[in-house]
Amino acid sequence: MKALVAVKRVVDYNVKVRVKSDQTGVDIANVKMSMNPFDEIAVEEAVRLKEKGAVTEIIAVSCGPTQCQETLRTAMAIGADRGILVETAEELQPLAVAKLLKALVDKEQPQIVILGKQAIDDDANQTGQMLAALADLPQATFASKVELDGDKAKVTREVDGGLETIAIGLPAVVTTDLRLNEPRYVTLPNIMKAKKKPLETVKPEDLGVDVAPRLKTLKVAEPPKRGAGIKVPDVATLVDKLKNEAKVI
């Protein structure tokens, strides 16, 4: 069984992001970048499925600039067998990434596609669902447990009311939640081994995909600074302020 895992290069979650002075976006110059944490969980889950004997090959895929090779090498150090970089300098929006992944799914024919439920930079939570729709595959989102059995997968999902367990046929798309697993520490020997693993580079045009942005960002601004709190003498004053000043009731 072949597993395809998508990974994204994002600003490291420990970094405090800053908006550019012209408000065109977030400043990423000289900022530490790393693999999206949800995607790291996706790679770890694929490796665990391989260790159980359910998966035989893991392909890590990333879409973006040349620097995404580092992200793919990290995925291979965790345990992916090979990497594919769809190299482009264009701003990639969720629909474009889903189309690129769909082209690779058609080419590689994996039995399971695992993605992080969302990226921590745009928080879109769209790519997995769009890929499932484009490829006409069953999907299980927000997975906190995945079990493969032949041509079926049993997935426990995180939903508003608690947990939901569903059975889906393979091939399928699964998106990972935080509680699915805890990614392993990447050791130096595995980092060295990852350098020797195959990494293929393709362009969007090679896959026949138009990645031109469909949405335009007009402005990026920081949220307003939180004001100082005040003490009120009684409940009546509190209700009055919530109604007339905060206008929340």
Side-chain angles (χ1 to χ4, degrees):
M1 182 183 290
K2 192 185 285 187
L4 188 143
V5 184
V7 296
K8 185 177 184 182
R9 179 176 179 263
V10 299
V11 175
D12 189 87
Y13 67 92
N14 287 312
V15 173
K16 180 175 171 56
V17 294
R18 302 190 182 278
V19 175
K20 291 180 180 177
S21 57
D22 59 3
Q23 295 189 315
T24 56
V26 172
D27 188 4
I28 59 170
N30 302 313
V31 168
K32 183 185 177 186
M33 308 291 281
S34 60
M35 187 190 300
N36 178 46
F38 290 102
D39 298 342
E40 206 171 352
I41 292 168
V43 177
E44 174 67 27
E45 190 61 24
V47 173
R48 291 189 185 193
L49 290 171
K50 185 179 179 183
E51 288 171 346
K52 291 175 185 174
V55 167
T56 53
E57 184 184 22
I58 302 167
I59 308 157
V61 177
S62 191
C63 307
T66 309
Q67 293 92 324
C68 290
Q69 288 186 13
E70 299 167 18
T71 312
L72 287 169
R73 292 293 179 196
T74 301
M76 288 188 275
I78 294 171
D81 297 294
R82 58 188 172 98
I84 301 174
L85 170 62
V86 183
E87 189 176 1
T88 177
E90 281 274 9
E91 177 205 345
L92 291 176
Q93 294 174 350
L95 180 59
V97 177
K99 287 179 177 178
L100 292 170
L101 293 176
K102 195 265 182 185
L104 290 172
V105 166
D106 291 343
K107 178 184 173 186
E108 296 288 345
Q109 295 293 308
Q111 281 68 53
I112 186 167
V113 183
I114 311 177
L115 307 88
K117 71 170 183 176
Q118 66 195 78
I120 62 170
D121 52 1
D122 58 15
D123 269 339
N125 182 17
Q126 296 174 343
T127 305
Q129 293 89 326
M130 287 176 168
L131 171 60
L134 290 170
D136 195 24
L137 294 174
Q139 61 177 308
T141 54
F142 318 130
S144 62
K145 187 177 181 182
V146 178
E147 296 172 293
L148 300 184
D149 184 14
D151 61 350
K152 293 224 181 307
K154 189 165 82 169
V155 181
T156 301
R157 303 180 59 236
E158 302 264 347
V159 295
D160 290 342
L163 298 175
E164 175 187 62
T165 302
I166 61 172
I168 54 174
L170 299 177
V173 176
V174 174
T175 72
T176 64
D177 212 320
L178 274 176
R179 279 162 287 279
L180 180 58
N181 61 53
E182 187 173 329
R184 67 194 66 192
Y185 178 76
V186 180
T187 61
L188 183 59
N190 285 339
I191 292 171
M192 301 308 293
K193 285 177 192 171
K195 292 181 178 179
K196 297 179 181 176
K197 291 182 179 179
L199 198 162
E200 178 187 357
T201 301
V202 296
K203 302 283 187 185
E205 48 269 29
D206 299 334
L207 301 172
V209 177
D210 174 20
V211 295
R214 265 57 175 181
L215 303 172
K216 182 181 178 182
T217 302
L218 301 179
K219 185 174 79 168
V220 177
E222 290 188 14
K225 287 192 169 35
R226 186 173 175 179
I230 59 168
K231 288 183 178 180
V232 293
D234 50 45
V235 174
T237 310
L238 173 62
V239 172
D240 178 66
K241 286 188 176 294
L242 289 175
K243 186 182 289 184
N244 300 313
E245 290 185 21
K247 299 190 186 303
V248 293
I249 58 172

